[in-house]
């Protein structure tokens, strides 16, 4: 039976609207800029291709791509991946704090670990940076514990409350069941949960369709539809939006570097073409008689063009010469200029892109990474709020009062490059300033689990170093005799 999509905010209406949003963003979109000129907004498919190093090959004048495809593919260098990976590598979650306590929350750490989020969180961050946004789904598993799953923006779409963008009015998750080949969809609203099924895997969602013929409610074997109450009272999909200040729906980390990537690829292909066809000195012979093939009538090349072959002739009237080789330095300079533009726009440290670190001081390296460090701090603030919402929903699954704690905090790993001596020196100075021991250990880069273990070890070491209880305290021991004692060695020496 077809799904009715005509009534606004009905399950079918949300299915059509959010399903259209999922599929529509995959392809490029042509928009009109402020001058009335058309411009192309890259879709998720294009962003994914550039992130994976599959940028389109530019055309080289005079070179047939079908004849040079083998070496033209080698001319593509994946700089966009480096732009994405550089901040992702510095986004590491160490734990969470809830309430006024300064210690990391043990139950939050347990939820984090049992869901394998040390590895999954990196996928979330990479997905947000490479595809504009990523999602985390929080639900209850069969044992009643929170289950946290990461979902791609190619499968998920959400609708925000028009009066409060922080609240979600609905969320849709679509996937293909590989066992049956059917398409499945799950829709959440703050009050209800609906599931749908379609027998086809190639989906289409007409935006203004009155009904969806290819979709039906997902039912149990008894024929009852699987519609249930949303026990969490909120859409359990938490969006992680990258660079929301550039675009409300997110802006990919490499989205404004695509044109520079094309320039670099074009320069590399031209460099390889010049090196392949023009770097070798072309020779010529003037006044040489050339024989013809008696069968075909075509001229027979008298010499083989080879770097190790010497051309000679008995005719003294023949003149030999050569053309100058193509200078490759302008091509290299153009590529280097484009790489510098990439470093400036993406705030990627130049030594990450160029790989040249020779006689550079630590202060110079830190200054070169200032832009990247500030960019990562901005992402920590944005993503930290999303992770805190994830943990609040997880506590809500457990009916834990920490679900209502507003002063939660995400504990991030240090994103700046520091030496061990710098961290240790800073810890000593912080101790003199009165900073507590646990905070000093956190600033040194230890995780909450390591700090807990070290705290136990400190207590054991303190017990091992305590004085012998059978000996009287130092204050009760008799003072030492100030008189000199002459030993046997002293007597012998005196004699």
């Amino acid at each position: 039976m077809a799904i009715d999509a005509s009534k606004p905010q009905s399950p079918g209406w949300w299915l059509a609207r959010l399903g259209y949003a999922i599929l529509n963003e995959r392809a490029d979109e042509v928009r009109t800029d402020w001058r009335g000129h058309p411009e192309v907004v890259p879709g998720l498919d294009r962003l994914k291709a550039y992130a994976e190093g599959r940028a389109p090959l530019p055309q080289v004048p005079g070179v047939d791509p079908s004849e040079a495809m083998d070496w033209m593919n080698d001319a593509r260098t994946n700089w966009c991946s480096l732009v994405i990976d550089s901040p992702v590598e510095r986004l590491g979650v160490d734990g969470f704090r809830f309430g006024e306590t300064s210690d990391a929350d043990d139950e939050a750490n347990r939820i984090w670990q049992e869901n394998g989020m040390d590895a999954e969180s990196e996928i979330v961050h990479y997905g947000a940076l490479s595809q504009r946004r990523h999602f985390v789904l929080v639900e209850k598993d069969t044992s009643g514990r929170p289950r946290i799953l990461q979902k791609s923006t190619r499968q998920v779409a959400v609708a925000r409350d028009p009066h409060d963008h922080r609240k979600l009015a609905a969320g849709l998750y679509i996937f293909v069941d590989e066992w049956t080949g059917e398409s499945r969809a799950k829709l959440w609203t703050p009050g209800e949960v609906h599931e749908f099924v379609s027998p086809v895997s190639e989906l289409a969602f007409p935006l203004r369709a009155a009904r969806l013929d290819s979709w039906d409610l997902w039912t149990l074997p008894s024929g009852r539809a699987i519609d249930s109450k949303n026990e969490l009272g909120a859409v359990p999909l938490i969006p992680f939006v990258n660079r929301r200040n550039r675009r409300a729906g997110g802006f990919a980390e490499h989205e404004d570097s695509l044109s520079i990537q094309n320039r670099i690829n074009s320069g590399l292909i031209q460099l390889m073409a010049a090196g392949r066809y023009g770097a070798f000195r072309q020779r010529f012979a003037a006044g040489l008689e050339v024989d013809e093939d008696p069968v075909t009538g075509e001229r027979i090349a008298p010499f083989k063009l080879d770097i190790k072959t010497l051309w000679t002739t008995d005719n003294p009237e023949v003149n030999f010469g050569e053309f100058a080789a193509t200078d490759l330095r302008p091509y290299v300079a153009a590529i280097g200029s484009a790489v510098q533009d990439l470093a400036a726009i993406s705030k990627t440290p130049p030594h990450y892109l160029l790989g040249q670190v020779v006689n550079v001081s630590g202060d110079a390296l830190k200054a070169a990474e200032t832009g990247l460090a500030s960019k990562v701090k901005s992402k920590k603030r944005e993503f930290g709020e999303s992770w805190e919402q994830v943990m609040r929903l997880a506590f809500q699954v457990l009916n834990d009062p920490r679900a209502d704690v507003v002063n939660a905090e995400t504990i991030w790993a240090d994103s700046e490059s520091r030496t061990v001596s710098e961290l240790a020196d800073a810890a000593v100075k912080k101790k003199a300033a009165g900073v507590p021991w646990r905070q000093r250990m956190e600033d040194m880069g230890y995780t909450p689990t390591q700090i807990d273990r070290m705290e136990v070890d400190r207590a054991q070491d303190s017990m091992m170093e305590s004085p012998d209880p059978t000996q009287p305290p130092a204050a009760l021991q008799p003072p030492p005799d100030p008189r000199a004692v002459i030993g046997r060695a002293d007597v012998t020496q005196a004699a």
Side-chain angles (χ1 to χ4, degrees):
M1 184 176 65
I3 299 296
D4 181 19
S6 60
K7 183 180 179 181
Q9 300 188 25
S10 65
W13 187 83
W14 281 124
L15 175 63
R17 187 180 184 88
L18 298 180
Y20 176 84
I22 293 175
L23 300 183
N24 184 59
E25 195 176 6
R26 296 180 183 179
D28 295 345
E29 180 183 0
V30 179
R31 297 180 181 176
T32 303
D33 62 10
W34 62 275
R35 298 169 299 179
H37 298 164
E39 62 177 4
V40 178
V41 178
L44 298 181
D45 291 341
R46 180 181 291 268
L47 294 176
K48 185 173 184 292
Y50 273 83
E52 295 175 353
R54 295 183 287 106
L57 291 173
Q59 298 294 327
V60 180
V63 178
D64 186 359
S66 61
E67 298 178 358
M69 190 61 66
D70 54 344
W71 60 266
M72 289 182 72
N73 283 324
D74 295 336
R76 292 188 295 189
T77 303
N78 190 6
W79 298 91
C80 287
S81 176
L82 187 58
V83 172
I84 299 171
D85 290 340
S86 298
V88 169
E89 293 170 353
R90 300 185 177 217
L91 290 171
V93 179
D94 281 345
F96 300 89
R97 293 192 187 96
F98 282 83
E100 301 297 334
T101 177
S102 61
D103 298 342
D105 193 281
D106 293 336
E107 181 61 25
N109 184 62
R110 177 189 173 187
I111 296 173
W112 184 267
Q113 295 297 330
E114 67 186 10
N115 283 278
M117 295 308 297
D118 283 337
E120 294 292 298
S121 61
E122 184 174 350
I123 300 177
V124 174
H125 298 153
Y126 181 85
L129 268 64
S130 63
Q131 295 276 278
R132 298 176 180 153
R133 59 191 173 277
H134 210 79
F135 294 87
V136 171
L137 170 63
V138 182
E139 57 186 7
K140 182 185 294 186
D141 63 11
T142 56
S143 63
R145 296 288 299 174
R147 180 169 59 183
I148 303 176
L149 303 171
Q150 58 86 18
K151 300 298 179 183
S152 169
T153 187
R154 302 171 67 88
Q155 299 175 296
V156 175
V158 295
R160 297 183 181 273
D161 190 311
H163 301 291
D164 187 354
H165 72 278
R166 294 171 296 182
K167 296 181 180 180
L168 299 182
L172 179 68
Y173 167 49
I174 296 179
F175 66 98
V176 176
D177 191 336
E178 297 181 354
W179 294 351
T180 62
E182 298 175 335
S183 296
R184 297 275 302 277
K186 194 169 185 177
L187 173 69
W188 292 270
T189 63
E192 299 177 337
V193 181
H194 305 272
E195 296 192 39
F196 306 91
V197 62
S198 175
V200 298
S201 58
E202 297 295 331
L203 302 177
F205 291 94
L207 183 58
R208 301 188 182 278
R211 65 178 190 175
L212 301 177
D213 295 328
S214 62
W215 286 92
D216 198 358
L217 290 175
W218 178 258
T219 58
L220 296 172
S222 61
R224 184 174 63 85
I226 306 179
D227 293 338
S228 59
K229 180 181 178 181
N230 189 347
E231 297 180 356
L232 295 179
V235 177
L237 291 166
I238 307 302
F240 287 73
V241 184
N242 184 59
R243 300 174 73 177
R244 193 170 56 178
N245 55 344
R246 290 288 298 271
R247 187 187 296 139
F251 198 83
E253 197 65 24
H254 61 303
E255 193 163 343
D256 50 4
S257 303
L258 302 185
S259 59
I260 302 178
Q261 175 71 79
N262 292 336
R263 284 164 47 195
I264 295 175
N265 287 347
S266 179
L268 287 171
I269 289 180
Q270 293 176 5
L271 174 63
M272 294 186 68
R276 194 176 185 90
Y277 299 111
F280 178 68
R281 294 177 181 267
Q282 299 290 326
R283 301 187 183 97
F284 66 87
L288 182 67
E289 294 183 1
V290 180
D291 297 331
E292 295 183 354
D293 190 310
V295 178
T296 62
E298 296 180 356
R299 293 179 177 271
I300 302 175
F303 302 110
K304 181 180 180 182
L305 186 60
D306 197 315
I307 61 176
K308 60 183 180 180
T309 301
L310 179 65
W311 291 4
T312 61
T313 182
D314 296 333
N315 187 353
E317 301 297 330
V318 176
N319 294 322
F320 292 98
E322 64 181 7
F323 298 104
T326 302
D327 188 3
L328 302 181
R329 287 176 294 181
Y331 297 97
V332 176
I335 296 172
S337 176
V339 171
Q340 291 178 358
D341 291 344
L342 181 66
I345 291 178
S346 65
K347 295 185 180 180
T348 304
H351 57 277
Y352 281 25
L353 299 169
L354 302 176
Q356 299 176 355
V357 183
V358 180
N359 297 328
V360 180
S361 65
D363 292 337
L365 286 177
K366 183 170 294 186
E369 296 179 0
T370 301
L372 176 61
S374 62
K375 181 170 68 172
V376 171
K377 288 181 180 178
S378 175
K379 297 184 187 304
K380 285 182 177 180
R381 288 190 292 269
E382 184 70 30
F383 293 166
E385 291 293 333
S386 297
W387 283 123
E388 290 157 19
Q389 292 182 39
V390 169
M391 298 312 299
R392 289 192 188 100
L393 279 179
F395 282 127
Q396 193 167 340
V397 170
L398 298 174
N399 294 322
D400 193 298
R402 278 169 288 193
D404 299 324
V405 174
V406 295
N407 56 344
E409 180 185 6
T410 304
I411 304 175
W412 292 93
D414 191 359
S415 57
E416 297 188 31
S417 300
R418 308 179 192 274
T419 62
V420 177
S421 59
E422 289 177 336
L423 294 173
D425 182 63
V428 172
K429 294 179 180 178
K430 290 179 180 179
K431 179 180 180 180
V435 178
W437 177 83
R438 288 187 66 92
Q439 183 62 49
R440 298 199 306 271
M441 295 301 101
E442 183 179 317
D443 294 341
M444 289 186 67
Y446 294 105
T447 65
T449 302
Q450 292 174 318
I451 295 174
D452 291 340
R453 188 177 67 247
M454 287 191 297
E455 197 164 28
V456 175
D457 294 342
R458 288 184 73 216
Q460 293 178 349
D461 293 343
S462 178
M463 294 178 61
M464 295 290 293
E465 295 174 0
S466 60
D468 188 352
T470 60
Q471 298 292 332
L476 302 179
Q477 294 181 2
D481 193 343
R483 295 175 296 175
V485 178
I486 301 177
R488 183 179 299 275
D490 297 332
V491 174
T492 304
Q493 186 175 3

